[in-house]
Amino acid sequence: MTQQERSILEELAAAARSLFARGYSFGTAGNISARLGQRVFISPTNSSFARLAADALAEVDLEGQAAGPLTPSKEVHFHLAVYRARPQAGAVVHLHSTHATALACLRDLNLDDALPVLTPYYAMRLPCLPVAPYHPPGDPLLAPEVAARAVLSPALLLRHHGLIACGPTVAEAAALAEEIEEQARLFFLLGERAQPLTAGQVAALRAKFK
Ligand code: 13P
């Protein structure tokens, strides 16, 4: 492994610990991965973001074959689905953060785009927030559902479960996950008082900050 690859895994583990420290992850919820060429390094199943270490990640190839001693997250299938759907993705973050998960449990959710655009940064970072239908955690059926939505957007919700965000780098994937959690928090804070940006304002932001 090159020094540069090693530092990406250090960044991955540090991002997980930071997400935990700031309340975006809790217990053993969530999983995080980085792609290094033909290899994917992912948090081991039942591990906590609180103590994730770069030298204690599970390794798989792009078909999901384990390449090391540690058992990968049970969600490795949908991480791989994101990498296949978005060739430019270098990292994937999955969280059960409270507000995004609450959103994913709402009755009458817009499954094509779950959140109104309330602030510019949210609009600038993603085109829509599609929702994959419910399957139990670890179910391989999640993978095609995630792939179908990952081609539309770098982030999506899993119905009754949580969020997935990806990016070219670990920092960008984590920042997008945080942006979605905070936008969901604003949505619930504002409730009926929310005034979303207009379609014209959103289009102008997306054109300018593509
Ligand atoms: P793992 O511990 O297998 O990563 O599962 C945690 C989780 O968040 C399931 O969605």
Side-chain angles (χ1 to χ4, degrees), residues 24-48:
Y24 291 101
S25 171
F26 44 86
T28 61
N31 27 76
I32 189 165
S33 69
R35 170 166 58 181
L36 304 180
Q38 301 302 306
R39 299 182 294 171
V40 170
F41 290 81
I42 187 165
S43 46
T45 191
N46 298 325
S47 60
S48 173

Side-chain angles (χ1 to χ4, degrees), residues 28-31 45-46 73-75 94 96 161:
T28 61
N31 27 76
T45 191
N46 298 325
S73 166
K74 67 175 81 63
E75 308 294 15
H94 165 57
H96 299 178
H161 185 161

Side-chain angles (χ1 to χ4, degrees), residues 74-151:
K74 67 175 81 63
E75 308 294 15
V76 69
H77 307 288
F78 74 58
H79 283 250
L80 295 173
V82 173
Y83 292 122
R84 280 193 288 269
R86 299 186 76 85
Q88 69 279 35
V92 175
V93 177
H94 165 57
L95 299 177
H96 299 178
S97 54
T98 304
H99 300 85
T101 304
L103 185 66
C105 298
L106 272 186
R107 200 184 305 131
D108 300 329
L109 190 60
N110 177 355
L111 301 178
D112 296 322
D113 194 6
L115 269 180
V117 177
L118 299 169
T119 63
Y121 258 70
Y122 178 79
M124 287 150 54
R125 286 188 188 271
L126 78 171
C128 59
L129 187 62
V131 185
Y134 176 78
H135 291 285
D139 192 325
L141 289 174
L142 278 170
E145 301 289 1
V146 166
R149 287 153 185 88
V151 294

